[in-house]
Each structure stands twice: as structure tokens, then as C-alpha cells.
Amino acid sequence: MVRKVQKNDLENLLKLYMQLHDNPFPEINERIMSVWESIINDENHHIIVAEEEGRLVSSCVCVIIPNLTRGQRPYAFIENVITDKDYRNRGFASACLNFAKEIAIGKKCYKMMLLTGSKESSTLNFYEQAGYNKNDKTAFIQWL
């Protein structure tokens, strides 16, 4: 089942995120709860999850960004795409990305952008098969 994240999914989502860039499991403290509340209450911030047998197995973030160009149509930004290593190649990430696309269409976005830190050809091919291309724009990152 693919759905939007729910407030009580935080701990399971953080467990899944441990596989994203080898993140350690953070202490669930006031700071993280404040960030979580901000995300949950932001109508433009969507965390999509795939659930299998009661376990979160895949996720992506879709943020809708208001825009003053392109007829004032917003655009969507996709980040933090992850599937549990034991559930890969079973369509869960594709389902999450498709759910994000439906959100973007519903919000009348004119484009979706996705950034990945992966250089793995299998990952890059997956994103291309999902409809993203690496030719239209060039991304630059400045770490702070």
C-alpha cells in the first residue's frame, strides 16, 4: 500500500532512513519532534511511503514549491528516495514516485525535479525509466 506518511510513522521512517547515506538512528528529542511537526503540518511537504505487511519499505519526499514564473504554476522537488535493501526491485520506489507525480499533477505543477547523490548506473537507469531525464538541467550543490 502506498500512502502519505502519518504522524505515528516517525520511528519507522527513521529506521528506513538509516539505509539512506548510512544515517544513524537519531535520538527522538524535542528538536526532531519540532521538525516532524513542521513537516506533518506543511501542506506543501509530502512524505510518501510504501507499506508491506505493516512495515515501511520505501519512501520519497515530494515538496511543492510555489513559483512566480510559468504562469505562477508550482513545481515539485523529489528527494530522499529509499527502498529497504530487502525489498528492492519489487516496484515499491516506482509506486512512491508515481504517487508523488499524482500529487504534483493535482497541484498543477509544471515540472518535477529529482536529485540523487547516487552514481550507480542501476539507480540512474531506474530514474530514467521512471520518466526523469538528466539532460534538461544541470544541478549544482553547495553544502553548508
Side-chain angles (χ1 to χ4, degrees), residues 79-91:
E79 180 72 88
N80 293 339
V81 180
I82 181 69
T83 300
D84 184 291
K85 61 181 174 35
D86 296 331
Y87 291 83
R88 291 184 181 155
N89 298 310
R90 292 172 51 187

Side-chain angles (χ1 to χ4, degrees), residues 7 9-15 17-18 23-41 47:
K7 192 171 184 177
D9 287 325
L10 176 61
E11 189 171 331
N12 291 324
L13 182 65
L14 292 174
K15 286 178 185 173
Y17 280 174
M18 290 174 65
N23 284 321
F25 191 84
E27 176 186 349
I28 298 179
N29 56 24
E30 188 176 308
R31 181 175 169 264
I32 203 163
M33 291 308 296
S34 176
V35 172
W36 182 240
E37 289 289 332
S38 176
I39 290 169
I40 291 293
N41 293 320
I47 299 177

Side-chain angles (χ1 to χ4, degrees), residues 17-64:
Y17 280 174
M18 290 174 65
Q19 295 182 44
L20 190 65
H21 310 298
D22 296 317
N23 284 321
F25 191 84
E27 176 186 349
I28 298 179
N29 56 24
E30 188 176 308
R31 181 175 169 264
I32 203 163
M33 291 308 296
S34 176
V35 172
W36 182 240
E37 289 289 332
S38 176
I39 290 169
I40 291 293
N41 293 320
D42 185 342
E43 67 180 25
N44 287 321
H45 196 142
H46 307 273
I47 299 177
I48 296 118
V49 295
E51 185 177 5
E52 178 80 356
E53 299 171 355
R55 181 176 178 185
L56 298 188
V57 298
S58 189
S59 181
C60 73
V61 172
C62 175
V63 178
I64 306 300

